[in-house]
Amino acid sequence: MSAIRADAVAQPVPPVVPAAWVRERAGAAERDDTLVLADVRWYLDGRSGYDAYLGGHLPGALWVDVDTDLAAPPTPSGGRHPLPAPEEFAARLGRLGIADDSVVVAYDDQGGGFAARLVWLLRRTGRAAALLDGGLAGWPGALDTGPVHRAPVTRRVTPWPAALLRDADQVARAAGAPDALVLDSRAAGRYSGADAHAGETRSGHVPGALSAPWQENLAADGTFRSPEELRRRFEELGAADAEEVVFSCGSGVTACHNLLAVERAGLPDAALFPGSWSAWSADPERPVVAGPYPFATDGPDGPDAPDPAGPRAGRADAADASRTADASRTEGAAR
């Protein structure tokens, strides 16, 4: 994987931190008020993340809305959760009281799949942010109820890192290039098309993209796998041999979990396709593959399957099909 670094500012915190790290900093809050806890719960089935937050959240945590604070209004070309304009992102976080020098620790109750969006956006614009390892379930203390407010602040506007973003045309080129890799972060059932999303007209995946469910970054207890385990995971997917790695998902949210896992693994930055499947599938001119294989609907040796080269070589095999099928049973809230 080629080395792409858009975050010139050295990060003072790792991408994932344990509850003990948060409690230690929170205990020093009277001396250091930069720590901000962010509750980023969101549910694919339409439940209210805000209601869940009000019912019990980490002490002092703000609620950050995926739909309005971390995304612009949906469009066919931008997908369900387009990136907000940098000016709007700065204004939204400023109204929440999250300053430029805040150290943000974000969490949800689904392994960090949704909180990852906030963390990745902050880290890739040079701000200090991390996911809480284990999320809400991993917090050892009591929870508070009701809303939390901080005084509004004015934030600097920082452009999104263009080197780490891809549009649909760029993804199409990467998916067909021998030295590039497109990894689909949705659960295997979404990747294959077996599990449809109610808001999408077509199911399946980008031709040439490989299945890399974000939930596989987590151990059985819901905490992150070790950096060594994550490195092996992405090396097995071909990331170490690719000059360009792009992550997609349903709408550019849970792909950020894989992007943070890549960073935790010590690998160079990969890119995000913000529109992801919600934008790709909405364009009737874009080809779609259904089934567990990246190139054909009828298996790795089907008549329509090209001979992959580079980082994708040998990946469309029965072992992969079995692995992704197993992963589909842990779909949860993948999107």
Side-chain angles (χ1 to χ4, degrees):
M1 187 191 298
S2 61
I4 303 174
R5 283 293 172 193
D7 51 328
V9 178
Q11 293 288 356
V13 298
V16 181
V17 296
W21 187 96
V22 176
R23 288 168 67 91
E24 181 179 354
R25 283 198 72 118
E30 291 183 357
R31 300 186 303 274
D32 181 3
D33 194 34
T34 61
L35 178 66
V36 175
L37 302 179
D39 189 308
V40 198
R41 276 179 274 185
W42 191 96
Y43 300 104
L44 190 63
D45 60 11
R47 285 177 291 153
S48 170
Y50 186 61
D51 286 348
Y53 161 79
L54 292 177
H57 55 76
L58 268 61
L62 302 169
W63 188 65
V64 178
D65 187 355
V66 170
D67 291 324
T68 60
D69 296 323
L70 305 183
T75 66
S77 61
R80 288 193 304 274
H81 290 108
L83 292 184
E87 296 80 6
E88 182 62 22
F89 181 66
R92 285 280 185 174
L93 295 195
R95 285 196 288 270
L96 291 173
I98 301 175
D100 285 311
D101 64 349
S102 295
V103 178
V104 176
V105 177
Y107 69 90
D108 55 41
D109 58 359
Q110 298 179 73
F114 303 100
R117 168 90 159 209
L118 173 61
V119 173
W120 189 79
L121 290 176
L122 288 172
R123 291 182 72 84
R124 295 290 77 80
T125 51
R127 308 305 199 275
L131 275 178
L132 175 64
D133 202 9
L136 183 68
W139 183 251
L143 301 179
D144 284 352
T145 59
V148 173
H149 301 287
R150 293 172 65 95
V153 297
T154 299
R155 290 177 59 92
R156 297 191 307 274
V157 176
T158 303
W160 301 127
L164 298 180
L165 299 176
R166 299 291 185 272
D167 61 22
D169 288 338
Q170 292 169 319
V171 168
R173 286 193 293 270
D179 59 349
L181 189 65
V182 177
L183 296 175
D184 191 318
S185 306
R186 298 173 299 163
R190 293 283 302 284
Y191 171 86
S192 72
D195 299 327
H197 185 281
E200 294 168 351
T201 58
R202 298 189 292 169
S203 299
H205 58 268
V206 175
L210 297 184
S211 179
W214 66 268
Q215 296 97 330
E216 292 185 9
N217 297 322
L218 303 175
D221 64 356
T223 61
F224 265 77
R225 296 188 183 278
S226 70
E228 295 75 20
E229 290 175 302
L230 292 173
R231 176 178 281 271
R232 285 195 297 270
R233 181 195 181 206
F234 292 113
E235 286 176 345
E236 289 172 0
L237 286 165
D241 300 322
E243 288 298 316
E244 177 185 14
V245 178
V246 182
F247 282 99
S248 70
C249 57
S251 62
V253 176
T254 58
C256 296
H257 197 279
N258 267 333
L259 289 163
L260 294 177
V262 162
E263 184 181 0
R264 178 173 167 84
L267 295 169
D269 286 340
L272 171 68
F273 176 24
S276 286
W277 186 250
S278 61
W280 183 279
S281 62
D283 184 348
E285 300 299 317
R286 298 287 177 189
V288 169
V289 172
Y293 302 103
F295 295 106
T297 60
D298 54 351
D301 301 319
D304 299 323
D307 181 19
R312 294 172 293 165
R315 296 305 302 163
D317 54 26
D320 284 335
S322 174
R323 178 177 60 81
T324 55
D326 289 342
S328 70
R329 289 190 286 270
T330 63
E331 162 104 8
R335 50 189 303 277

